[in-house]
């Protein structure tokens, strides 16, 4: 059992979730590599939510509140790390949740679908029973899209995304929002709003923001969106990545 006194306790808890998800068979073989890469960026960020990240989160919530069909795209990693938090946020914001996988297999889709059902969310899109279509411009299995979800969505929150899909979806006129710890990634650069933070911190924080912004005037929400510049916010995020100790 992990001791809460361990200085890397939170990080070890997340690693354990990824390991268990891999053993359960719903993570791709490369999922641990992706998690480790994100963990390295989070370490350099100080493992805390920054001001630029919070700013992007407020804009994200404002956009999703004003959207007609907002969708949260989930894969194996996001499911393993924050399934309950994602469900709570989706219910708070009035968004749909859709399974979308780069390494898509019926087995993985079925297992992730079952997890969301077990956690009290039976309406998961992108399942084997869903009506799936394909976005022609995307040349990998993530081209799949639910007709009532990603395909027709006006806003898509895509945590831990791949850059080519983010770019194509943005070019199609959708609002694309990502949660990515790497401010230099193609995904961060191609998205309309990039939240440089760990998904396990970002999702619960946005639920709290949603509880506040849902009661605010639409004019305020639109001002939040109009005043935001993603490129500037990414630059501010990048400046926070500093090595805090000299190597001797």
């Amino acid at each position: 059992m992990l001791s809460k006194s361990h200085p890397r306790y939170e990080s070890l808890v997340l690693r354990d979730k990824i390991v268990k998800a891999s053993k359960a068979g719903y993570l791709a073989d490369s999922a641990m590599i992706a998690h480790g890469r994100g963990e390295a960026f989070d370490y350099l960020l100080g493992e805390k939510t920054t001001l630029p990240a919070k700013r992007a989160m407020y804009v994200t919530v404002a956009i999703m509140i004003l959207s007609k069909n907002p969708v949260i795209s989930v894969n194996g990693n996001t499911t393993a790390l924050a399934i309950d938090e994602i469900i709570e946020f989706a219910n708070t914001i009035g968004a749909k949740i859709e399974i979308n996988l780069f390494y898509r297999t019926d087995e993985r889709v079925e297992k992730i679908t079952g997890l969301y059902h077990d956690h009290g969310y039976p309406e998961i899109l992108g399942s084997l029973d869903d009506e799936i279509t394909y976005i022609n411009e995307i040349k990998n299995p993530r081209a799949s899209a639910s007709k009532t979800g990603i395909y027709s969505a006006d806003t898509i929150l895509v945590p831990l995304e791949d850059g080519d899909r983010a770019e194509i979806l943005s070019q199609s006129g959708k609002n694309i929002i990502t949660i990515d710890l790497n401010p230099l990634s193609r995904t961060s650069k191609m998205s309309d709003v990039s939240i440089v933070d760990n998904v396990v911190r970002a999702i619960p924080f946005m639920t709290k923001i949603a509880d506040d912004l849902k009661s605010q005037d639409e004019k305020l929400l639109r001002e939040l969106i109009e005043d935001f510049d993603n490129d500037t916010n990414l630059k501010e995020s990048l400046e926070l990545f500093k090595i805090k100790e000299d190597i001797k």
Side-chain angles (χ1 to χ4, degrees):
M1 178 178 288
L2 297 174
S3 171
K4 291 186 177 181
S5 64
H6 193 288
R8 304 292 303 146
Y9 174 76
E10 296 295 337
S11 177
L12 291 173
V13 167
L14 298 183
R15 291 183 196 179
D16 187 57
K17 287 184 177 182
I18 291 294
V19 170
K20 288 178 178 177
S22 180
K23 290 180 179 179
Y26 65 89
L27 288 191
D29 292 340
S30 60
M32 291 187 184
I33 297 173
H35 179 77
R37 181 177 58 199
E39 186 180 79
F41 278 101
D42 201 16
Y43 189 81
L44 293 175
L45 196 60
E47 297 175 315
K48 61 183 180 181
T49 299
T50 66
L51 179 58
K54 290 179 181 179
R55 186 184 300 127
M57 288 183 214
Y58 270 92
V59 173
T60 292
V61 173
I63 291 173
M64 295 186 80
I65 288 174
L66 295 175
S67 296
K68 294 181 179 179
N69 187 22
V71 176
I72 303 171
S73 176
V74 297
N75 61 9
N77 285 60
T78 51
T79 299
L81 295 173
I83 184 171
D84 290 322
E85 292 80 1
I86 289 169
I87 291 171
E88 183 180 9
F89 179 58
N91 289 336
T92 302
I93 209 76
K96 300 171 183 175
I97 304 174
E98 179 171 340
I99 302 167
N100 187 273
L101 308 174
F102 189 88
Y103 300 103
R104 186 181 178 92
T105 66
D106 287 354
E107 181 183 12
R108 290 186 66 208
V109 171
E110 188 172 17
K111 287 185 176 182
I112 293 173
T113 299
L115 282 170
Y116 279 91
H117 289 176
D118 292 344
H119 284 252
Y121 191 85
E123 301 91 0
I124 188 77
L125 300 178
S127 69
L128 298 181
D129 297 326
D130 197 6
E131 187 176 3
I132 300 295
T133 187
Y134 295 89
I135 300 170
N136 292 331
E137 294 82 359
I138 301 175
K139 305 303 180 183
N140 64 59
R142 296 198 80 169
S144 65
S146 169
K147 280 195 173 182
T148 60
I150 288 173
Y151 190 79
S152 58
D154 51 354
T155 297
I156 310 171
L157 173 61
V158 286
L160 313 182
E161 175 64 13
D162 53 287
D164 60 339
R165 189 173 77 127
E167 180 178 10
I168 290 168
L169 289 174
S170 181
Q171 289 174 348
S172 69
K174 302 177 188 293
N175 297 310
I176 303 303
I177 303 164
T178 192
I179 303 173
D180 192 334
L181 278 159
N182 179 4
L184 296 173
S185 73
R186 187 179 177 204
T187 303
S188 291
K189 292 178 179 179
M190 293 300 170
S191 296
D192 299 291
V193 181
S194 303
I195 302 167
V196 182
D197 199 14
N198 194 318
V199 66
V200 302
R201 294 193 299 269
I203 297 295
F205 192 79
M206 286 195 291
T207 299
K208 294 179 180 179
I209 294 172
D211 285 331
D212 175 37
L213 290 189
K214 283 195 302 182
S215 62
Q216 299 298 324
D217 187 77
E218 182 177 326
K219 181 181 178 182
L220 172 64
L221 302 185
R222 296 199 179 278
E223 287 176 351
L224 278 173
I225 298 167
E226 291 170 3
D227 290 343
F228 180 79
D229 181 82
N230 198 50
D231 289 339
T232 300
N233 208 57
L234 280 174
K235 289 177 183 177
E236 290 184 25
S237 297
L238 185 59
E239 291 172 358
L240 298 174
F241 283 82
K242 297 178 181 178
I243 304 298
K244 297 177 175 59
E245 297 180 6
D246 295 329
I247 299 175
K248 297 181 180 179

